[in-house]
């Protein structure tokens, strides 16, 4: 087993090593985020200091910590996406391994070991950097920064490594299924009713809690809060799961009746593998969701003349977090784009060889992004803004302009999400041009 | 293959006279060497002697009077026996093609030139047969298939022989 | 119509083409034969403007093809050539029918017209039943026939086919060859078939024999076809090696 891993490591191409480094970077980022979040909760400080209040006051600081922890979600998605990317190229090698007689378990473990190793390398780097930063903070701020939480760093590191290994384990799944599966892909898996049930359940919980006007049939006031939180979480997860279904449906619609070959090809390619797009876009969708929700909430306060420095600082921080999430999810999109290019390279090369101009193939890429990202971003934006508007319906009723502002905010967030996906696809065009050379068509 | 058995087969449909048999033979087995009338006559005599056919009368349709032959019970049994048999796979290589190549190498000359010429001739014949297949009766298509596949087998052997020849020559040159 | 002059092409250290020259007339049906690895596919791809030779010239209808830039060659391929690749090479995400329709759409034809053409070609090649299936659900032979339909549907002036009957039994192979040759004759298109099956080569007017990247027989119409049977030519082919 170990020999096999070592053999594979030696056979890794330069590109694969670059991918390993990307994964390590993601792991380092996640480690820093989680360590910082953990540390913030333990600061011994509670004072009003204007704009700095978000850090010096206890409760806002907890919110900042929570945000940092939440930011680890896109980072994790990025790591997963990159480990999938590594799998796409490793597939052939691993499938050959299967054909050569390796058991599915061994192949999975190989993948897990490779990505776990990258996560360990990156995580250690992140942890070291964080420890250094924490020590500097302690030295300059003194007792305010406690030392004990630093003990959590190894725990965070272990979690990150575990996450990396697990993502490698999962990413190797379809190679494991059948050694020939790589060559002959089965029909895409059908949509699952369970995905929609989660959405329905979340909506039902939210509706029940909201129609009760702050009271719930279980547990009264607290019950309502719990129900709202649970409903939101369920809705969120349901949305992520239903994303694949949504993308598939949108792609099917787009492919039907079109006479533009680029759209036909793009729609069918998305339809054939909606899960890959859903994975890449779920983080974008989450960002759009939160962004729209934040926008809708701020629509109520943003036109107040008595905005405090504290409020401005916290809003700025929120948007900074959203921006970070967006950038990280764009990273996941780039990784997905690379994976898709690898997957479709042969088809594109053959199409180019039979006379399809490369710019047309570039349009296929952007249309794929449009077909997949548009429904996801629109639904996320509507859901994010909708939840807040429903929750704060009374306040909205009192402020007539707020609704328009929140709608505009949601539209802007959706637009940004779609734009990110399309820009990533456009950025892939030069790579496409370089990769899809008919000369490279192996003549067999 | 025995002509006697083919004639028995043709007679199993209905009694026929000698000229009819020759005509039908040539028509139903296109591509086979056409039968000479004398050959038909001699074979029919042999079949009658062995009790496989009998003369059932004469027919006259404008032309000369002709003897009509019919298959007997014994003839049908013989035909069934023959049909149940399999053709023995050829035990010897009895192709003049093969003989020529061996003799050419024995004589110290090159078989290569001969092989290349033979190859071209074979391909030309295959081309003709393929073209004819496009507009032939089912029997003609079957016959062309038969000929094509045999020519193809010869051709493949010629190609292998050419390859080997190059290798052999390379060895002696070295 | 199509002409190649002393083409050279190597991949790393292997020389695939080593001074190959051929001349193919309009409406001619030629077979490119030779042992495995002799450069048949490479020659085909050079003639089709898919790959560029390192030396030598390729001319189509009197125009240099190898010196054109990628865009111009792409347009030329789309408008004039139909290619059947050695391994079928359908787009896995599209159904058989959509695979045939796609190049027609890219060629600027309307959806309905393209669909009609695609259906009739699938029917002619006896794979109409598979129209709605994806390549992963088709057998090797069906794949190849769909690929042939895709190449023929655009009614190209030159059809290039690399082992179009490789995965077929002899009857299905006969049908595919019948359609290929029939389509070529019908529209006076040129057909270039790579094969190492003599029975497929027998459909052609002429055989271009390759060996070690060089043409050893049938380089031009005058020396190919029936004339290939003349001893002088055959011997010359043998000696030139
Ligand atoms: N893209 C490529 N990269 C590297 N080598 C190649 C490539 N294409 C062809 N070759 C090599 O060039 C030589 C000729 O290849 P080609 O595919 O033209 O042969 P072929 O006659 O079509 O063989 P076959 O009958 O097996 O298809 C072979 O040695 C092959 O290995
Ligand atoms: Mg080839």
């Amino acid at each position: 087993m170990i020999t096999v891993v070592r053999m594979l490591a030696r056979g890794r191409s330069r590109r694969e090593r670059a991918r390993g480094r990307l994964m390590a970077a993601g792991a380092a980022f996640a480690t820093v985020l989680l360590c910082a979040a953990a540390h913030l909760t333990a600061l011994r400080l509670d004072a009003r200091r204007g704009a700095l209040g978000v850090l010096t006051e206890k409760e806002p600081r907890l919110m900042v910590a929570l945000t940092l922890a939440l930011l680890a979600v896109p980072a994790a998605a990025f790591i997963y996406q990159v480990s999938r990317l590594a799998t796409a190229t490793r597939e052939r090698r691993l499938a050959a391994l299967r054909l050569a007689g390796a058991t599915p378990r061994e192949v999975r473990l190989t993948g897990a070991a490779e990505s776990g190793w990258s996560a360990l390398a990156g995580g250690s780097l992140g942890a070291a950097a964080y420890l250094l930063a924490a020590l500097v903070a302690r030295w300059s701020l003194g007792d305010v920064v406690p030392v004990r939480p630093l003990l959590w760093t190894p725990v965070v590191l272990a979690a990150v490594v575990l996450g990396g290994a697990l993502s490698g384990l999962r990413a190797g799944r379809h190679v494991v299924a059948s050694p020939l599966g790589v060559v002959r892909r089965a029909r895409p898996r059908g949509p699952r009713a369970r995905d929609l049930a989660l959405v329905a359940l979340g909506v039902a919980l939210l509706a029940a809690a909201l129609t009760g006007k702050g009271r719930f049939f279980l547990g009264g006031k607290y019950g309502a809060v719990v129900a709202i939180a649970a409903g939101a979480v369920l809705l969120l997860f349901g949305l992520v799961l239903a994303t694949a279904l949504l993308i598939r449906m949108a792609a099917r619609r787009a492919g039907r009746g079109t006479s533009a070959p680029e759209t036909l090809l793009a729609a069918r390619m998305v339809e054939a593998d909606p899960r890959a797009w859903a994975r890449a876009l779920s983080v974008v969708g989450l960002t759009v969701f939160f962004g729209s929700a934040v926008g809708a909430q701020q629509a109520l306060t943003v036109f107040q003349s008595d905005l405090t420095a504290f409020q401005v600082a916290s809003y700025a921080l929120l948007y900074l977090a959203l921006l970070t999430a967006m950038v990280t999810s764009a990273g996941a999109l780039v990784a997905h784009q690379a994976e898709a290019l690898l997957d479709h390279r042969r088809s594109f090369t053959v199409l180019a060889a039979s006379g399809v101009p490369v710019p047309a193939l570039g349009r296929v890429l952007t249309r794929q992004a449009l077909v997949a990202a548009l429904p996801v971003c629109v639904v996320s934006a509507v859901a994010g803004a909708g939840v807040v508007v429903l929750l704060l319906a009374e306040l909205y009723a009192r402020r007539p302009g707020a609704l328009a502002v929140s709608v505009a905010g949601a539209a802007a967030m959706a637009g940004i999400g779609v734009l990110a996906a399309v820009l990533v696809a456009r950025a892939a065009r030069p790579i496409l041009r370089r990769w899809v050379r008919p000369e490279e068509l192996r003549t067999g | 293959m025995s002509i006697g058995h083919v004639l028995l087969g043709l007679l199993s449909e209905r009694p026929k006279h000698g000229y009819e048999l020759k005509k039908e033979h040539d028509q139903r087995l296109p591509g086979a060497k056409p039968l000479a009338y004398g050959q038909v006559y001699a074979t029919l005599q042999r079949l009658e002697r062995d009790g496989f056919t009998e003369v059932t009368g004469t027919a006259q349709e404008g032309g000369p009077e002709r003897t009509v032959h019919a298959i007997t019970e014994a003839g049908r049994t013989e035909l069934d026996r023959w049909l149940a048999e399999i053709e023995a796979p050829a035990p010897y290589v009895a192709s003049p093609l093969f003989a020529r190549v061996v003799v050419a190498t024995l004589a110290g000359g090159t078989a290569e030139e001969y092989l290349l010429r033979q190859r071209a001739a074979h391909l030309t014949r295959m081309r003709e047969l393929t073209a004819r297949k496009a507009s032939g009766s089912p029997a003609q298509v079957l016959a062309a298939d038969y000929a094509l596949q045999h020519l193809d087998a010869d051709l493949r052997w010629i190609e292998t022989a050419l390859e080997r020849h190059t290798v052999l020559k390379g060895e002696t040159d070295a | 119509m199509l002409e190649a002059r002393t083409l050279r092409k190597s991949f790393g250290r292997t020389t695939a083409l080593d001074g190959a020259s051929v001349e193919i007339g309009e409406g001619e049906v030629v077979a490119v034969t030779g042992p495995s690895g002799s450069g048949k596919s490479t020659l085909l791809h050079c003639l089709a403007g898919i790959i560029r030779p390192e030396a030598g010239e390729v001319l189509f209808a009197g125009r240099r093809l190898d010196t054109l830039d990628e865009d111009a060659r792409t347009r030329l391929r789309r408008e004039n050539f139909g290619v059947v690749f050695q391994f079928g090479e359908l787009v896995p995400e599209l159904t058989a029918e959509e695979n045939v329709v796609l190049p027609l759409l890219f060629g600027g034809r309307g959806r309905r017209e393209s669909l009609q053409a695609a259906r009739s070609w699938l029917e002619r090649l006896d794979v109409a039943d598979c129209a709605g299936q994806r390549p992963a659900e088709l057998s090797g032979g069906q794949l190849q026939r769909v690929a042939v339909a895709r190449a023929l549907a655009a009614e190209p002036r030159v059809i290039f086919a690399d082992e179009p009957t490789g995965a077929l039994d002899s009857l299905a192979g006969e049908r595919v060859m019948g359609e290929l040759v029939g389509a070529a004759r019908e529209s006076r298109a040129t057909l270039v078939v790579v094969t190492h099956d003599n029975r497929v080569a027998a459909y052609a007017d002429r055989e271009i024999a390759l060996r070690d990247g060089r043409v050893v027989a049938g380089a031009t119409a005058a020396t190919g076809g029936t004339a290939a049977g003349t001893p002088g030519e055959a011997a010359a082919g043998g000696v030139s090696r």
Side-chain angles (χ1 to χ4, degrees):
Chain A
M1 180 70 215
I2 292 170
T3 330
V4 171
V5 173
R6 229 188 279 141
M7 232 164 61
L8 282 174
R10 232 182 298 130
R12 286 195 341 163
S13 65
R14 218 183 62 219
R15 277 205 198 117
E16 269 177 78
R17 250 174 274 140
R19 241 166 267 130
R21 258 176 249 138
L22 269 182
M23 208 189 301
F29 186 45
T31 310
V32 170
L33 281 175
L34 289 175
C35 287
H39 215 151
L40 275 180
T41 57
L43 285 194
R44 287 191 210 115
L45 184 68
D46 193 3
R48 280 183 172 273
R49 281 202 199 151
L52 272 180
V54 285
L55 284 179
T56 55
E57 277 180 65
K58 192 159 177 121
E59 276 179 14
R61 195 168 61 230
L62 287 183
M63 286 309 292
V64 172
L66 182 66
T67 311
L68 285 181
L70 277 179
L71 275 179
V73 174
F78 176 74
I79 295 177
Y80 181 62
Q81 204 61 50
V82 173
S83 74
R84 287 213 23 109
L85 180 57
T87 318
T89 45
R90 246 188 359 222
E91 246 172 32
R92 254 165 228 278
R93 228 143 43 87
L94 290 189
L97 213 62
R98 274 285 278 129
L99 282 172
T103 65
R105 220 176 79 89
E106 285 166 338
V107 171
R108 267 169 189 262
L109 287 179
T110 314
E114 287 193 17
S115 53
W117 179 252
S118 298
L120 178 64
S124 308
L125 216 66
Y130 180 72
L131 281 178
L132 201 68
L135 287 179
V136 170
R138 162 88 189 183
W139 176 68
S140 55
L141 296 176
D143 264 354
V144 173
V145 184
V147 181
R148 202 136 49 92
L150 291 183
L151 291 178
W152 295 347
T153 310
V155 179
V156 170
L157 182 60
V160 167
V161 172
L162 192 70
L166 279 178
S167 88
L169 208 57
R170 274 183 66 79
R173 227 164 46 239
H174 57 288
V175 186
V176 171
S178 118
L180 295 176
V182 180
V183 185
R184 275 189 156 228
R185 288 229 171 132
R187 246 184 193 290
R189 212 187 298 163
R192 291 189 304 184
R194 189 153 38 108
D195 305 351
L196 285 182
L198 274 181
V199 179
L201 195 63
V203 171
L205 266 178
L206 278 178
L210 293 177
T211 49
K213 301 234 180 292
R215 300 196 65 79
F216 198 55
F217 58 85
L218 266 180
K221 208 168 175 152
Y222 287 109
V225 171
V226 170
I228 287 172
V233 168
L234 275 181
L235 183 61
L236 223 59
F237 269 101
L239 279 178
V240 173
L241 285 175
T243 305
L245 188 58
L246 179 70
I247 291 176
R248 159 84 79 56
M249 273 171 8
R252 207 166 268 171
R253 270 199 80 83
R256 204 184 301 139
T258 176
S259 57
E262 293 96 336
T263 311
L264 175 67
L265 193 56
R268 289 290 185 262
M269 280 177 163
V270 172
E271 188 188 333
D273 199 5
R275 268 156 194 281
W277 276 102
R279 263 193 312 271
L281 283 171
S282 57
V283 188
V284 178
L286 280 178
T287 314
V288 171
F289 179 88
F290 278 121
S292 305
V294 167
Q297 197 265 323
Q298 290 182 2
L300 291 169
T301 56
V302 79
F303 292 120
Q304 284 172 341
S305 48
D306 53 346
L307 268 186
T308 60
F310 172 76
Q311 273 172 319
V312 171
S314 59
Y315 289 173
L317 222 59
L318 257 177
Y319 281 113
L320 190 67
L322 278 174
L323 189 69
T324 314
M326 205 40 137
V327 168
T328 322
S329 31
L333 272 175
V334 169
H336 166 260
Q337 188 69 61
E339 182 190 358
L341 270 180
L342 277 175
D343 269 357
H344 298 139
R345 183 178 186 177
R346 181 110 199 141
S347 292
F348 281 164
T349 309
V350 168
L351 284 172
S354 50
V356 177
V358 176
L361 296 176
R363 282 197 292 280
V364 172
L365 291 188
T366 28
R367 277 180 213 189
Q368 280 190 59
L370 260 182
V371 164
L374 198 62
V376 174
C377 291
V378 167
V379 169
S380 303
V382 169
V387 166
V388 173
V389 172
L390 282 182
L391 267 173
L392 308 177
E394 282 166 37
L395 289 177
Y396 266 96
R398 258 184 271 140
R399 253 165 253 194
L403 192 63
V405 173
S406 67
V407 167
M413 278 314 293
I416 290 173
V418 174
L419 195 69
V422 169
L423 283 182
V424 167
R426 279 201 73 105
R429 284 185 182 188
I431 306 174
L432 184 73
R433 193 167 260 285
R434 209 164 343 113
W435 273 16
V436 180
R437 288 237 179 97
E439 357 256 280
E440 298 204 353
L441 190 67
R442 189 70 178 86
T443 54
Chain B
M1 182 199 63
S2 128
I3 295 171
H5 289 111
V6 177
L7 293 190
L8 278 180
L10 290 171
L11 283 176
S12 70
E13 291 178 332
R14 59 184 167 76
K16 289 163 189 171
H17 56 70
Y19 182 64
E20 215 179 344
L21 282 171
K22 175 201 155 39
K23 251 187 9 193
E24 283 193 11
H25 172 276
D26 293 353
Q27 189 192 329
R28 297 243 183 128
L29 279 74
K33 206 165 141 196
L35 278 184
Y37 187 70
Q39 213 177 346
V40 177
Y41 185 71
T43 312
L44 278 172
Q45 262 188 340
R46 188 166 49 76
L47 288 173
E48 197 181 338
R49 188 198 63 206
D50 294 344
F52 295 148
T53 61
E54 60 194 8
V55 175
T56 54
T58 57
Q60 189 165 22
E61 303 144 359
E65 195 170 89
R66 283 173 171 140
T67 318
V68 174
H69 303 262
I71 190 167
T72 62
E73 211 39 56
R76 277 186 199 282
T77 318
E78 169 61 15
L79 188 63
D80 287 344
R81 188 195 61 74
W82 182 68
L83 284 177
E85 251 176 25
I86 56 154
E87 194 71 26
Y92 306 110
V93 180
S95 160
L97 201 69
F98 174 65
R100 266 178 209 268
V101 172
V102 174
V103 173
T105 38
L106 277 181
T110 76
E112 186 169 320
E113 190 186 314
Y114 163 69
L115 281 171
L116 282 169
R117 256 183 300 145
Q118 190 64 52
R119 181 172 188 284
H122 264 58
L123 247 181
T124 309
R125 178 86 186 115
M126 283 180 77
R127 232 172 257 140
E128 287 165 17
L129 285 166
T130 306
R132 199 174 303 159
K133 236 165 70 168
S135 59
S137 67
Q140 276 170 336
V141 169
L142 271 183
D145 276 342
Y146 186 86
L148 275 171
Q149 311 235 8
H150 278 78
L151 286 170
D152 185 33
D154 277 355
L155 261 184
R156 283 202 304 257
W157 176 75
I158 289 173
E159 276 153 19
T160 320
L162 274 170
E163 282 301 312
R164 287 200 202 280
H165 205 77
T166 322
V167 174
L168 287 177
K169 227 171 45 180
E171 272 175 7
T172 47
D173 288 354
Chain C
M1 184 79 183
L2 258 182
E3 195 181 341
R5 294 185 189 141
T6 56
L7 297 184
R8 287 188 52 84
K9 175 84 192 171
S10 43
F11 298 98
R13 257 188 278 149
T14 48
T15 307
L17 289 179
D18 187 13
S21 302
V22 290
E23 210 177 299
I24 301 168
E26 181 163 7
E28 233 193 318
V29 176
V30 298
V32 179
T33 62
S36 193
S38 57
K40 302 184 296 289
S41 300
T42 309
L43 175 65
L44 191 87
H45 289 148
C46 280
L47 287 174
I50 293 172
I51 58 179
R52 250 188 247 238
E54 280 139 23
E57 306 174 357
V58 180
L59 289 100
F60 168 68
R63 249 166 92 203
R64 274 295 283 277
L65 205 150
D66 51 316
T67 48
L68 292 178
D69 66 3
E70 185 57 48
D71 285 349
R73 272 187 300 149
T74 301
R75 217 170 313 119
L76 193 86
R77 285 200 297 267
R78 189 174 66 206
E79 285 159 10
N80 297 293
F81 297 163
V83 188
V84 184
F85 293 97
Q86 184 161 8
F87 302 109
E89 308 287 7
L90 300 179
V91 179
E93 288 86 2
L94 299 180
T95 64
E97 187 177 71
E98 287 166 346
N99 261 291
V100 181
V101 163
L102 197 71
L104 299 180
L105 292 179
F106 271 118
R109 291 222 234 153
R111 184 183 168 89
R112 187 173 302 176
E113 183 197 348
S114 307
L115 267 175
Q116 240 164 16
R119 292 221 180 99
S120 86
W121 276 104
L122 288 175
E123 217 151 278
R124 281 177 73 167
L125 286 151
D126 212 15
V127 278
D129 295 343
C130 320
Q133 274 159 296
R134 274 166 231 278
E137 301 157 349
L138 299 178
S139 76
Q142 288 166 337
L143 280 177
Q144 221 153 15
R145 277 178 281 175
V146 175
V148 170
R150 176 174 65 175
L152 291 181
E155 286 164 18
R157 285 174 71 193
V158 185
I159 305 160
F160 296 96
D162 198 346
E163 305 271 9
T165 60
L168 302 177
D169 60 57
S170 42
L171 276 186
E174 202 168 275
R175 177 143 195 178
V176 165
M177 279 314 292
E179 286 300 338
L180 270 174
V181 174
R185 301 255 190 251
E186 217 169 84
S187 54
R188 275 194 63 70
T190 306
L191 173 61
V192 184
V193 185
V194 165
T195 183
H196 48 230
D197 183 345
N198 296 308
R199 280 176 288 157
V200 170
Y203 279 87
D205 306 326
R206 158 157 69 111
E207 182 197 25
I208 296 173
L210 272 186
R211 203 162 276 223
D212 303 330
R214 248 173 291 172
V215 178
V216 294
T220 63
T223 60
T226 44
T230 59
E233 170 58 29
V239 169
S240 73
R241 267 191 283 131

